[in-house]
Amino acid sequence: MDNSLLLEVASVYGTPTYVYDSAKIKEQYDRLNNAFGTKKVKLHYAMKALNNSNILKLIHSFGAGVDAVSIEEIHLAIRAGFESSQIMYTPNCVAFSEIKDAVSLGVYINIDNLSILEKFGNEYGNSVPCCIRINPHIMAGGNSNISVGHIDSKFGISIHQVRHIERIMKHHNIRVEGLHMHTGSDIIDADVFLRGAELLYEAASHFPDLIFMDFGSGFKVGYREGDIVTDVESIGQKIAGSFEKFCTSYGRELELWFEPGKYIVSEAGVFLVEVNVVKQTTSTVFAGVNSGQNHLIRPMFYNSYHRIENISNPNGEKKLYSVVGYICESDTLGYDRLLNEVREGDILAIYNAGAYGFSMSNQYNARLRPAEVLIHEGAYHLIRKREELEDLYRNEVQLDIF
Ligand SMILES: *Cc1c(COP(=O)(O)O)cnc(C)c1O
């Protein structure tokens, strides 16, 4: 996104504001969609990354489905125009009543617990098909917070319990149409994906009714210049090849599914903040901005790196800053960054803010959530208003007893 356009957005809508670029979302979607050669894939966008309904409508227009992790997300997806048949519901530790609600909405259910599978069988027998989330126990992904396939993970049914799954499945006559794995985020290595895939292929012999396999997500995007990113073409080629072989031995052509979140929207988002104060201490120069971990929690939560640029002073002399927020809590957005000289009032652009930025924002310190703007075909559109004071107490109940 062009800096002058970003500055215009900041002056029209104020800051802090999330800005998304529809062209970049489309580019990422197309790239992944085409990475598997002649093998057609089905992409279900993991909407927890960014769920503004305009973004959902845009991604729906590409022909994608969505992956939802809560009944509320399912409702948002339906509201944005997705058919229930395009929605995969992958819950973890939810009440069985929520799964029943999802079934009644007609979405596809991904089951990740033996007790839920039993309840599902009791309730529906073979009348509602399902998918099973397998935990292949491979260590994948950037760090232990975002790696969800390892032995201690709460996600999925262990690959070592396939015989148990099979017994429940046969007893209740459950139609298992899909096997799923999602081992975590930030996978760079095609071999990690392939190892997981091989384990699912082996497990598949226990499931005669398969229609698809879903290999989840975890495609890594670039955060720093020169970062190693997932080579989706290389992964695509390898997986397509191994999947073809598997289908031949399984005896039927199956569909190949993925559910990318970050890969689709991360790089399409920029978070614009304004510098309130420049503060020189004995050891550091801080650039203190009008936002913080309440709006972008990833640096504090995952130790994630977001590139930052001073777009107001692109030719200023480079100096070292720690960019910090205004929250009364550990609140660093970027340590020791070389930025063009920062002056109070400058606008900083924080990159890779499309995924898990707004969707993880909160009102801590009674701060209002930011606005969201979409740039589409050269024009910018407000897609979520900045919150107002009233949003802080809308659901409070006033007692008259004091
Ligand atoms: C979060 C999640 C994803 C998306 O992960 P990304 O790293 O954002 O691509 C996919 N599938 C499931 C089940 C998830 O929970």
Side-chain angles (χ1 to χ4, degrees), residues 101-255:
D101 290 345
V103 169
S104 69
L105 291 169
V107 308
Y108 227 99
I109 312 291
N110 194 1
I111 292 178
D112 97 329
N113 192 322
L114 286 172
S115 74
I116 295 284
L117 184 64
E118 245 170 340
K119 286 181 190 162
F120 195 86
N122 267 328
E123 186 78 26
Y124 301 110
N126 72 349
S127 66
V128 179
C130 67
C131 173
I132 292 189
R133 178 171 189 172
I134 300 283
N135 184 342
H137 304 307
I138 51 174
M139 194 65 190
N143 66 47
S144 62
N145 285 328
I146 54 178
S147 176
V148 292
H150 56 86
I151 192 87
D152 294 329
S153 165
K154 67 172 184 150
F155 297 99
I157 302 176
S158 168
I159 189 107
H160 305 306
Q161 293 176 306
V162 164
R163 291 282 301 130
H164 204 143
I165 299 173
E166 198 178 15
R167 271 200 296 279
I168 297 171
M169 187 176 81
K170 286 195 170 140
H171 181 255
H172 294 285
N173 212 8
I174 302 170
R175 203 146 40 89
V176 176
E177 292 187 349
L179 290 184
H180 166 277
M181 66 166 192
H182 170 66
T183 51
S185 283
D186 287 3
I187 299 172
I188 308 164
D189 189 355
D191 293 337
V192 174
F193 249 108
L194 284 172
R195 248 189 300 144
E198 295 291 341
L199 290 167
L200 283 204
Y201 300 158
E202 273 173 43
S205 60
H206 300 270
F207 301 91
D209 302 321
L210 294 181
I211 291 175
F212 67 90
M213 282 217 180
D214 184 339
F215 291 149
S217 178
F219 306 103
K220 186 181 183 310
V221 297
Y223 286 88
R224 304 169 197 245
E225 279 183 42
D227 242 6
I228 300 171
V229 301
T230 303
D231 179 351
V232 294
E233 283 78 18
S234 150
I235 285 196
Q237 202 185 11
K238 287 181 181 164
I239 289 189
S242 85
F243 195 73
E244 251 351 275
K245 275 197 217 119
F246 157 70
C247 288
T248 308
S249 77
Y250 187 74
R252 195 162 64 235
E253 195 62 27
L254 299 189
E255 294 174 11

Side-chain angles (χ1 to χ4, degrees), residues 46 48-49 67 69 90 133 180 182 185 216-219 259-263 356:
K48 72 177 192 282
D67 186 80
V69 294
T90 304
R133 178 171 189 172
H180 166 277
H182 170 66
S185 283
S217 178
F219 306 103
E259 26 181 68
K262 196 186 282 177
Y263 187 80
Y356 309 108

Side-chain angles (χ1 to χ4, degrees), residues 29 113 121 295:
Y29 178 83
N113 192 322
H295 297 153

Side-chain angles (χ1 to χ4, degrees), residues 58-72:
L58 173 75
I59 292 174
H60 178 255
S61 77
F62 305 157
V66 289
D67 186 80
V69 294
S70 68
I71 194 80
E72 290 86 349

Side-chain angles (χ1 to χ4, degrees), residues 75-87:
H75 284 295
L76 291 183
I78 290 172
R79 189 174 157 271
F82 287 92
E83 300 285 334
S84 54
S85 60
Q86 295 176 295
I87 303 172

